[in-house]
Amino acid sequence: MAYDEGILTDSQMLRSAYGSYGTGVTVVTTVPADGSPVGLTVNSFSSVSLDPPLVLWCLDKSANSLQIFEQTSHFAINVLAHDQVDLSNTFASSGEDKFSGLDYTTGAGDAPLLAGSVAQFECESWATYDGGDHIILVGKIVAYRRNNAPGLLYIGGQYARSTPA
Ligand SMILES: Cc1cc2nc3c(=O)[nH]c(=O)nc-3n(C[C@H](O)[C@H](O)[C@H](O)COP(=O)(O)O)c2cc1C
């Protein structure tokens, strides 16, 4: 099959090429010392290391929550289930109170753990790196849980459900 040749200055085309790599969908949450919880939809999540147990995700430097995540001691990664598209859209918006009416508990550092998620990783902030127009946040898992519900996927700019290949 023919390729569209990549033009590095065409960010839309580069974004589309990145989007050909399918991912799961997560909501990353935290709470500032004296404020309300914050969270955003994230598909840049990746597992990194088993020993020590490390994960990473990337945060856009233009996100409203940038300063809070740069300073937080803990955050939680909530891996979304296939029926949580609405939740993903809520946390992908820049609304004031994304947690209003939501069912959640709290984990390490009081980071929100969203009901119905497939897996929850409670993390201690481990390191932060510069990543161009994003920052790369590495977390050390201090507790986690999972169930067998099917996860929500994201590929080609669209949500999808997994079926075995
Ligand atoms: C499927 C999906 C994946 C996303 N992944 C990321 C991501 O990895 N990093 C990021 O910074 N923004 C990501 N976003 C965009 C943020 O969720 C969105 O900009 C959000 O409004 C930022 O919230 P804030 O500005 O309140 O912090 C994603 C959005 C969607 C729909």
Side-chain angles (χ1 to χ4, degrees), residues 10-11 31 48 52 62 73 80 104 126 128 134 137-138 140 153 156 161:
D10 182 344
S11 59
V31 63
V48 176
S62 69
S73 62
L80 298 193
Y104 68 91
W126 168 272
T128 304
H134 282 58
L137 297 104
V138 178
K140 182 180 174 193
L153 303 182
R161 292 172 183 216

Side-chain angles (χ1 to χ4, degrees), residues 25 39-45 57-60 62-66 88-89 91-95 98 134 154 159:
V25 182
L40 75 159
T41 301
V42 162
N43 74 335
S44 55
F45 168 77
W57 62 288
C58 304
L59 176 61
D60 195 316
S62 69
N64 293 321
S65 51
L66 177 70
S88 176
N89 287 330
F91 279 91
S93 72
S94 46
K98 305 182 191 181
H134 282 58
Y154 194 71
Y159 294 109

Side-chain angles (χ1 to χ4, degrees), residues 1-24:
M1 194 186 281
Y3 290 99
D4 287 334
E5 196 60 33
I7 300 163
L8 286 170
T9 49
D10 182 344
S11 59
Q12 201 50 48
M13 187 174 177
L14 187 55
R15 188 191 294 265
S16 298
Y18 285 166
S20 59
Y21 182 68
T23 66

Side-chain angles (χ1 to χ4, degrees), residues 3 12 28 66 68-69 82 84 91 105 117 121 123 146 151:
Y3 290 99
Q12 201 50 48
V28 185
L66 177 70
I68 293 172
F69 278 107
H82 69 100
Q84 291 184 305
F91 279 91
T105 56
S117 45
F121 299 101
C123 299
R146 66 175 288 268

